[in-house]
């Protein structure tokens, strides 16, 4: 087999790319794997052609345009010269669909893994994605139906964060000690997102929140995990103030931070699903560049933004966006999660329903099997797929 190319543009996607590389190597230890990604993918022996950008939103992406153009040129040359048997695209649609078009023009097989949010906005992209791919692996159960209705070869494979959740060993007290927390104290997790622009808006809010929260709940401690690709020097001043307020700051250990926590304040994204699967009560908060939010409101057609509420079909967790994301509003919801057992029980029941959809599935193994099938290797037995949505 000539090799596989994996394109992941952001921190979460490159984690999934790293897991996929592990699964591919279990099937073929000598397989050449190349890609666009970050340190997680590099640590798995992937030969990187380009790096993670962290770009997000309409305003923030402008600063990354030159980098993306250079990276696309390098990837195009690689595809022309090395012609990998399968190109795997992980999310990051505006960039990866261009890679898909290039790959298809060369007659290469293309697998899209982690679909763009076509159910939320730019729904017409489903036809473009179908035309530019050979197979699609989705991580949300209702996405499978959307693609199959237009004749795409699509499969719900589960979610790779289930693999991440199985890694922490030991009970909550053991995990707390392993990340520098007191095993006796209750813990509030603060997850600001994985992108630089998210941190610029969320960290000051979290600092103000901790200052208020510790007055009401002095026995609590705090943990704030950051993505591995974040440049800590840029946020050293804020990080110092957070540490002065008893906040333990980690890099690359979000699963352990959530596993050690009693409640969480989480920026909308995959971390909300991660917290739900771990059974951590949460409030979802989000603040983006105002222009990005304004345009988003005009084009996004969903009632909820968090994966937890989308999968449940109802407002299981409170979502506080933009101007509603204030210390006062967050504190109000945290008080309910800490003091109202009925509210907490309702949330936990909903989380159990979500977990039941993902239990028993290993996304990386299944996607690795799909790659081998596209490459003409012995097919992997497909499971009967079911689920919510």
């Amino acid at each position: 087999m000539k090799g596989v190319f994996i394109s992941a543009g952001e921190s979460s996607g490159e984690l999934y790319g790293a897991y996929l590389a592990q699964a591919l190597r279990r099937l073929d230890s000598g397989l050449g794997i190349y890609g666009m990604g970050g340190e997680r993918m590099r640590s798995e022996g992937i030969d990187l052609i380009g790096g993670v950008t962290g770009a997000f939103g309409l305003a923030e992406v402008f600063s990354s345009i030159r980098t993306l153009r250079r990276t696309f040129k390098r990837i195009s040359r690689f595809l022309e010269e090395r012609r990998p048997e399968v190109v795997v695209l992980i999310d990051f649609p505006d960039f990866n669909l261009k890679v898909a078009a290039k790959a298809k023009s060369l007659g290469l097989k293309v697998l899209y893994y982690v679909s763009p949010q076509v159910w939320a906005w730019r729904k017409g992209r489903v036809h473009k994605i179908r035309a530019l791919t050979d197979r699609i692996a989705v991580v949300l159960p209702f996405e499978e139906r959307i693609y199959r209705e237009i004749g795409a070869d699509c499969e719900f494979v589960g979610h790779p964060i289930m693999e991440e959740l199985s890694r922490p060993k030991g009970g909550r007290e053991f995990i707390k000690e392993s990340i520098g927390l007191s095993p006796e104290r209750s813990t509030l997790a603060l997850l600001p997102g994985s992108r630089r622009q998210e941190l610029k808006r969320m960290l000051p809010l979290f600092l103000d929140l901790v200052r208020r929260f510790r007055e009401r709940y002095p026995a609590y401690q705090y943990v704030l995990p950051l993505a591995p690709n974040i440049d800590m020097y840029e946020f050293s001043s804020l990080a110092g103030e957070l540490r002065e307020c008893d906040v333990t700051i980690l890099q690359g250990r979000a699963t352990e931070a959530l596993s050690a926590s009693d409640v969480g304040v989480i920026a909308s994204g995959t971390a909300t699903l991660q917290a739900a699967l771990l059974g951590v009560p949460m409030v979802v908060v989000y603040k983006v560049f105002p222009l990005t939010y304004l345009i988003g409101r005009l084009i996004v057609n969903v009632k909820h933004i968090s994966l937890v509420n989308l999968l449940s079909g109802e407002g299981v967790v409170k979502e506080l966006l933009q101007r509603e994301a204030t210390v006062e509003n967050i504190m109000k919801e945290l008080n309910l999660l800490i003091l109202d057992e009925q509210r907490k029980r309702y949330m936990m029941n909903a989380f159990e329903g979500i977990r039941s959809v993902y239990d028993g599935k290993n996304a990386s193994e299944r996607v690795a099997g799909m790659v081998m099938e596209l490459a003409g290797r012995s097919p992997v037995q497909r499971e009967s797929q079911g689920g919510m949505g």
Side-chain angles (χ1 to χ4, degrees):
M1 187 173 179
K2 296 178 183 177
V4 173
F5 180 82
I6 302 172
S7 178
E10 297 182 282
S11 180
S12 60
E14 75 119 352
L15 173 62
Y16 309 157
Y19 287 165
L20 176 57
Q22 292 175 2
L24 286 167
R25 291 256 163 77
R26 285 194 290 270
L27 297 177
D28 183 350
S29 60
L31 179 65
I33 308 178
Y34 312 87
M36 179 177 84
E39 288 307 312
R40 284 179 173 130
M41 287 173 61
R42 191 192 306 276
S43 69
E44 291 301 327
I46 298 175
D47 187 357
L48 294 184
I49 310 301
V52 171
T53 70
F56 175 69
L58 299 170
E60 291 87 345
V61 78
F62 291 140
S63 62
S64 299
I65 286 177
R66 288 184 180 178
T67 300
L68 289 169
R69 284 176 175 169
R70 287 195 298 267
T71 300
F72 180 74
K73 288 181 180 179
R74 288 199 298 270
I75 291 173
S76 295
R77 286 198 299 270
F78 172 84
L79 296 179
E80 290 169 358
E81 295 170 2
R82 298 298 294 267
R83 303 184 68 84
E85 292 192 52
V86 183
V87 175
V88 181
L89 311 173
I90 304 179
D91 202 6
F92 209 54
D94 290 330
F95 183 88
N96 273 336
L97 286 176
K98 291 182 175 63
V99 176
K102 179 65 178 181
K104 292 305 291 182
S105 74
L106 297 170
L108 305 178
K109 297 292 186 180
V110 178
L111 186 155
Y112 212 122
Y113 178 29
V114 187
S115 167
Q117 296 176 348
V118 294
W119 34 269
W121 65 300
R122 292 169 62 188
K123 295 182 180 180
R125 288 180 295 175
V126 294
H127 300 284
K128 182 177 183 179
I129 294 169
R130 182 192 64 175
L132 292 177
T133 61
D134 296 280
R135 300 187 68 176
I136 304 167
V138 294
V139 298
L140 302 177
F142 55 79
E143 293 175 322
E144 183 181 64
R145 183 184 67 252
I146 293 172
Y147 283 106
R148 288 193 172 186
E149 284 177 348
I150 63 165
D153 186 349
C154 179
E155 182 178 343
F156 169 56
V157 295
H159 205 297
I161 63 171
M162 288 293 288
E163 299 154 56
E164 177 78 358
L165 302 188
S166 68
R167 292 172 183 247
K169 304 299 181 183
R172 178 173 290 182
E173 288 73 21
F174 175 82
I175 295 172
K176 283 182 178 181
E177 285 191 299
S178 73
I179 58 177
L181 298 173
S182 168
E184 293 83 18
R185 298 174 67 186
S186 297
T187 306
L188 170 64
L190 304 165
L191 279 77
S194 60
R195 305 175 180 101
R196 175 176 171 269
Q197 294 297 333
E198 291 173 331
L199 267 65
K200 289 176 70 175
R201 290 171 174 81
M202 298 301 295
L203 289 182
L205 175 63
F206 282 177
L207 178 59
D208 291 341
L209 173 64
V210 170
R211 286 170 173 163
R212 178 75 63 83
F213 188 91
R214 67 195 307 213
E215 294 175 1
R216 178 72 187 272
Y217 301 100
Y220 267 74
Q221 60 191 337
Y222 312 90
V223 61
L224 193 156
L226 296 173
N229 62 304
I230 294 298
D231 180 4
M232 284 298 296
Y233 180 78
E234 181 178 2
F235 300 99
S236 58
S237 178
L238 275 169
E241 292 185 78
L242 285 161
R243 289 190 179 100
E244 288 176 2
C245 293
D246 200 23
V247 178
T248 297
I249 298 177
L250 309 171
Q251 279 198 278
R253 305 179 74 177
T255 300
E256 291 164 281
L258 283 170
S259 298
S261 297
D262 301 275
V263 64
V265 181
I266 303 176
S268 178
T270 305
T272 63
L273 178 58
Q274 192 173 20
L277 294 172
L278 285 167
V280 181
M282 77 188 92
V283 53
V284 173
V285 297
Y286 207 54
K287 299 180 78 170
V288 295
F289 187 76
L291 178 61
T292 301
Y293 181 75
L294 177 62
I295 296 175
R297 280 184 60 108
L298 297 175
I299 61 178
V300 174
N301 183 32
V302 289
K303 186 177 180 181
H304 305 289
I305 68 161
S306 69
L307 290 177
V308 175
N309 288 344
L310 286 166
L311 289 168
S312 300
E314 56 184 306
V316 173
V317 301
K318 185 71 172 179
E319 298 177 351
L320 298 172
L321 315 178
Q322 295 298 97
R323 292 182 179 179
E324 291 186 351
T326 65
V327 170
E328 290 74 18
N329 287 340
I330 299 171
M331 281 296 303
K332 181 179 178 180
E333 183 62 22
L334 287 175
N335 288 334
L336 287 174
L337 295 178
I338 293 170
L339 303 174
D340 188 337
E341 284 299 322
Q342 186 174 354
R343 167 71 174 154
K344 186 186 296 186
R345 193 178 310 114
Y346 162 72
M347 194 175 285
M348 291 302 101
N349 288 338
F351 291 174
E352 288 176 10
I354 292 171
R355 184 168 185 118
S356 69
V357 176
Y358 290 96
D359 275 338
K361 296 185 183 297
N362 186 303
S364 297
E365 287 186 1
R366 178 60 200 129
V367 173
M370 294 169 75
V371 169
M372 292 299 181
E373 291 167 8
L374 283 174
R377 297 294 190 92
S378 298
V380 178
Q381 182 66 39
R382 294 179 68 158
E383 298 177 4
S384 175
Q385 302 296 337
M388 303 172 68

